[in-house]
Amino acid sequence: MSLGTSCAISVWLLALTLVYPPPHASAAKDQDAIMADGPVSIRERKYIRNPLLQRRQFVVEVIHPGKANLSRSELAAQLSKRHKVADEKCVVLKGFRSNFGGGKSVGFACIYDSIEAVKKVEQKFTLIRQGLAEKVESSRKQIKEAKNRGKKTRGTGVRQAKHKAKRSQDS
């Protein structure tokens, strides 16, 4: 392809984009939340009410042009305000990934009905992150020694060993 043909094609593509703007150019204004550094748009997709786990769950798209990212606490505050949640600790955010080049992040959000539901369903590290549980500090050596002690007992001896360990712990 010659230089003149490629220039003509690029001019034609430029004219085409001016006539037909991309679909994301006309984003919904009612979902825009104004943050400190500029406009940040929060969109929700695949919204599901999950009664068995006592939560609402959905995919969250955060469009943050010119900003590195949005903090979890700011995002949780925005979602709790939008969904009228009494306690921000009921909003759990997971798995956020930023698109290459920035400007957009996609993740998963769960809004639980109560704190008890969060404690019943979520994993331990998530509860620690939310401030609903305390992290138990123990050394690697203690964990490995306990694991190896457990490997030595088999069958009904496991029950007896656990009973002895519990009795020695109590006294």
Side-chain angles (χ1 to χ4, degrees):
M1 194 184 301
S2 68
L3 183 62
T5 310
S6 64
C7 286
I9 291 173
S10 62
V11 168
W12 180 77
L13 287 174
L14 179 63
L16 189 63
T17 56
L18 292 175
V19 174
Y20 301 107
H24 60 78
S26 60
K29 296 292 181 191
D30 60 326
Q31 290 186 348
D32 287 346
I34 304 298
M35 299 304 248
D37 296 329
V40 174
S41 176
I42 300 172
R43 293 191 185 130
E44 300 164 6
R45 294 186 296 122
K46 301 181 181 177
Y47 184 91
I48 297 172
R49 173 79 183 115
N50 192 337
L52 291 175
L53 298 178
Q54 300 173 7
R55 71 182 184 190
R56 294 166 275 176
Q57 58 192 47
F58 46 89
V59 174
V60 179
E61 286 182 355
V62 183
I63 299 170
H64 44 87
K67 195 172 181 188
N69 210 340
L70 200 62
S71 71
R72 283 179 187 269
S73 58
E74 289 176 347
L75 191 55
Q78 287 291 323
L79 288 174
S80 65
K81 191 185 306 178
R82 182 182 290 180
H83 291 277
K84 298 177 181 75
V85 178
D87 194 358
E88 275 186 32
K89 291 184 179 182
C90 291
V91 179
V92 179
L93 303 168
K94 302 176 183 179
F96 273 84
R97 294 272 181 226
S98 296
N99 281 17
F100 182 74
K104 183 178 175 183
S105 300
V106 180
F108 191 70
C110 299
I111 300 177
Y112 287 89
D113 297 340
S114 64
I115 297 286
E116 291 78 30
V118 177
K119 288 181 179 178
K120 190 166 66 171
V121 174
E122 285 297 328
Q123 295 174 328
K124 195 178 210 179
F125 79 93
T126 310
L127 294 176
I128 292 168
R129 182 187 287 168
Q130 293 290 104
L132 297 172
E134 291 293 321
K135 186 173 183 178
V136 179
E137 295 290 334
S138 64
S139 68
R140 277 180 62 85
K141 188 172 183 181
Q142 286 177 332
I143 293 169
K144 287 186 174 197
E145 285 175 354
K147 176 190 66 124
N148 289 331
R149 276 195 306 271
K151 283 171 31 179
K152 288 179 184 172
T153 56
R154 293 182 49 135
T156 57
V158 173
R159 192 171 136 250
Q160 293 170 352
K162 284 183 182 176
H163 183 69
K164 284 181 184 176
K166 189 173 181 183
R167 288 186 76 187
S168 65
Q169 234 179 13
D170 290 340
S171 58

